[in-house]
Amino acid sequence: MTSRLVLVPPAIGPALREARFYDGSSSIDDAAAARAAAAALPEAARVVLSPGARCRATAEALGLRGTVTAELAPLDAGRWRGRTLAEVGAAEGEALTRWLTDPDYAAPDGESVRDVCARVGHWLASVPDGRTIAVVEPEVVRATVVHALALPPGTFWRLDVPPLTATELSGRSGRWNLRLGRALGGE
């Protein structure tokens, strides 16, 4: 049998709109878009969620009940959590540039791109047969694709993940095929 994984990033919210490092507490402000997208989702044997409030709120708006999975937490920005990209750039420009260009460099008190790809890859190896819908942060979608396709970790920041899209993986025995970012909600 084949594993099918549908990765859905959350609806737009203040943190995304403000280019703010997510701290897990910000929610969504476009639940109507998520409700409209619900009909485009396939039936699934299971639903899993990133731990943050916006993934839980998006899943609720999509009419999904899922299990929060710690391995699907977003990339940990450490002491930058809650601050905007502009604020961090002004205060710690060199560290921010290094974090965005060197997949082995961890955010201060946080984690590196390589770390999040490994963490999510470990979870990906445990995805059972059948269809799983995962409402997860954009970084988790990136990490999943990087790991599943054995891409260089440096490609992580080059993958755009729009809100409320479906990135679909299917496979078995550790070999994955990718279907990129299908819009949910009628497009």
Side-chain angles (χ1 to χ4, degrees):
M1 189 153 192
T2 300
S3 296
R4 298 186 186 285
L5 177 61
V6 181
L7 301 158
V8 179
I12 297 261
L16 183 60
R17 190 172 278 109
E18 298 165 0
R20 185 173 299 281
F21 286 96
Y22 190 56
D23 65 4
S25 64
S26 179
S27 193
I28 62 172
D29 55 16
D30 197 3
R35 283 191 295 277
L41 287 174
E43 293 289 322
R46 71 205 58 77
V47 176
V48 294
L49 311 171
S50 282
R54 63 185 176 196
C55 288
R56 291 190 313 270
T58 298
E60 183 179 323
L62 288 167
L64 301 173
R65 299 185 89 192
T67 303
V68 172
T69 303
E71 287 176 301
L72 298 179
L75 188 138
D76 184 354
R79 72 173 181 229
W80 299 338
R81 274 181 247 126
R83 296 169 63 192
T84 67
L85 190 61
E87 289 168 346
V88 173
E92 300 181 59
E94 278 186 44
L96 178 61
T97 298
R98 185 153 179 221
W99 188 63
L100 292 170
T101 58
D102 179 353
D104 292 314
Y105 184 78
D109 302 322
E111 68 183 332
S112 71
V113 165
R114 191 176 304 275
D115 291 340
V116 75
C117 289
R119 173 170 45 86
V120 171
H122 181 263
W123 172 82
L124 186 60
S126 72
V127 172
D129 289 345
R131 182 171 282 119
T132 301
I133 294 177
V135 182
V136 295
E137 294 296 339
E139 307 95 291
V140 175
V141 176
R142 288 184 190 108
T144 304
V145 170
V146 166
H147 184 83
L149 300 183
L151 297 172
T155 61
F156 180 90
W157 293 116
R158 312 272 322 252
L159 302 173
D160 289 334
V161 181
L164 292 177
T165 55
T167 299
E168 300 174 66
L169 293 166
S170 62
R172 66 187 114 170
S173 302
R175 184 181 181 280
W176 294 96
N177 295 315
L178 173 67
R179 182 174 182 201
L180 295 172
R182 174 175 57 89
L184 297 175
E187 288 186 31

